[in-house]
Amino acid sequence: MILTDYFYSTHDATWDIALQCGVKHGTIRLPEDDSFDLSSLTHLKDVVENFNSAGITPLVVEPLPNKLHDHIKKGDSLRDSSIEIFINLIKNLKEVGITTICFNFMAHYGWTRTTFNLPERGGAKVTGFDLHDFKADDYSIAHKELWDNYFYFVKAVIPYAEQYGIRLALHPDDPPLGSLGNVARILTSLDAINRAVRTIDSPNLGVTFCQACYYLMGENLEDAITKLADKIFFIHFRNVRGKKTCFQETFHDNGDINMASIMKAYIREGIDVPIRVDHVPTMANEKITVPGYDAFGRMFAIGYLKGILDSIS
Ligand SMILES: [Mn+2]
């Protein structure tokens, strides 16, 4: 496994904390302000140089920039121009040594929570979701239309991903519910994921195995890892407690998933890909800044992940 952490593209304490914890590789979020031109190789090189000079090697981009992806998911009039920019981005990522893009196909609502301050062990705070508390707006899209938009996108970009050696790693829907309000969700079961990544047969199309999403789908995790072994390109190391209609995040050692046995399953299947910790609690003396991404919980999670990896390998 290649240990990464999730970084914004401006040097902040998360970079130094990760480096101090022994993380040398990055899963990076590209800048979203208008001064960053997604078409510019120079701008991308500047971002990567900045990481490199701090001692971090970026390997994964997550997510596919929303200013492109929202049009692609909805299939609106800016879809084709957005796909063109993305194809150019694939070429540029190859130039700077980034190998993997984590993308999702959740339209309109991204990863969705109904609360951001549930108590977890010792009074730490976590995010949670309860379908009863979810308030939908009036946007709607149907399952068929979203599947059509998904395959339209994948067909357009896969030849370039293959040509430039970039792996597209599909993240499942979070939460994996069949719909939110009138917005269809399509990547909510192992069967659906298999349809998404095997209908078009390409070695460059696979998945981000976000463990907790697969758990909340009701899938057996070890079984899912075995069935997707050739397609797991990136791992979100994440734990959770509950069911898909009502759940909360947890410390990595305090949820429903046995994290050590899941790690053994990856190793048994020969999966050796970038991994990062995902969705951590906010702890004492911290304010909730980016829910799920505060520093102390991340330190704990990285240490816990490193301990499991060291004990197995
Ligand atoms: Mn995830």
Side-chain angles (χ1 to χ4, degrees), residues 28 30-31 36-45 47-48 61-69 72 81-101 153 157 160-161 164 166 168:
I28 69 167
L30 295 175
F36 183 80
D37 179 358
L38 281 167
S39 301
S40 166
L41 177 57
T42 309
H43 285 194
L44 182 64
K45 277 184 170 165
V47 166
V48 170
V61 162
E62 177 185 353
L64 196 165
N66 289 319
K67 69 170 91 164
L68 304 178
H69 209 180
I72 293 168
S81 57
S82 299
I83 288 175
E84 282 306 310
I85 295 169
F86 180 63
I87 287 169
N88 185 63
L89 181 61
I90 285 175
K91 296 177 191 172
N92 290 347
L93 290 174
K94 163 79 174 174
E95 289 285 319
V96 298
I98 289 172
T99 58
T100 304
I101 299 168
F153 166 67
V157 302
Y160 298 93
Y164 294 97
I166 299 293
L168 303 181

Side-chain angles (χ1 to χ4, degrees), residues 189-226:
S189 69
L190 183 57
D191 283 348
I193 295 285
N194 266 310
R195 178 184 173 195
V197 299
R198 298 194 194 278
T199 301
I200 298 169
D201 183 27
S202 169
N204 293 72
L205 179 60
V207 306
T208 295
F209 198 83
C210 185
Q211 301 175 166
C213 291
Y214 283 84
Y215 171 76
L216 291 170
M217 288 173 188
E219 304 293 352
N220 176 296
L221 282 181
E222 295 193 35
D223 188 43
I225 290 166
T226 301

Side-chain angles (χ1 to χ4, degrees), residues 102-106 169-174 187 208 210 213 236 278:
C102 172
F103 75 111
N104 68 74
F105 227 77
M106 292 178 272
L170 177 62
H171 190 290
D173 294 351
D174 178 12
L187 302 164
T208 295
C210 185
C213 291
H236 279 181
D278 197 9

Side-chain angles (χ1 to χ4, degrees), residues 29-80:
R29 188 177 185 105
L30 295 175
E32 283 149 302
D33 57 286
D34 288 336
S35 66
F36 183 80
D37 179 358
L38 281 167
S39 301
S40 166
L41 177 57
T42 309
H43 285 194
L44 182 64
K45 277 184 170 165
D46 287 346
V47 166
V48 170
E49 287 279 308
N50 202 23
F51 277 107
N52 287 339
S53 63
I56 295 168
T57 304
L59 291 180
V60 182
V61 162
E62 177 185 353
L64 196 165
N66 289 319
K67 69 170 91 164
L68 304 178
H69 209 180
D70 288 343
H71 301 298
I72 293 168
K73 291 171 184 172
K74 293 178 180 179
D76 65 20
S77 60
L78 293 176
R79 166 169 60 181
D80 288 338

Side-chain angles (χ1 to χ4, degrees), residues 210-268:
C210 185
Q211 301 175 166
C213 291
Y214 283 84
Y215 171 76
L216 291 170
M217 288 173 188
E219 304 293 352
N220 176 296
L221 282 181
E222 295 193 35
D223 188 43
I225 290 166
T226 301
K227 287 182 175 152
L228 286 172
D230 61 318
K231 290 292 188 185
I232 294 177
F233 293 169
F234 181 40
I235 295 166
H236 279 181
F237 190 72
R238 176 176 158 227
N239 213 335
V240 74
R241 186 184 310 125
K243 53 190 196 301
K244 64 183 167 187
T245 51
C246 184
F247 63 88
Q248 69 167 72
E249 305 284 344
T250 68
F251 281 102
H252 278 65
D253 64 333
N254 201 35
D256 292 343
I257 300 169
N258 182 329
M259 304 295 259
S261 59
I262 295 309
M263 185 59 68
K264 283 183 191 155
Y266 295 129
I267 304 292
R268 191 169 61 235

Side-chain angles (χ1 to χ4, degrees), residues 3 19 81 83 249 277 279 298 302:
L3 184 59
L19 283 162
S81 57
I83 288 175
E249 305 284 344
V277 303
H279 298 181
R298 258 208 258 193
I302 290 169

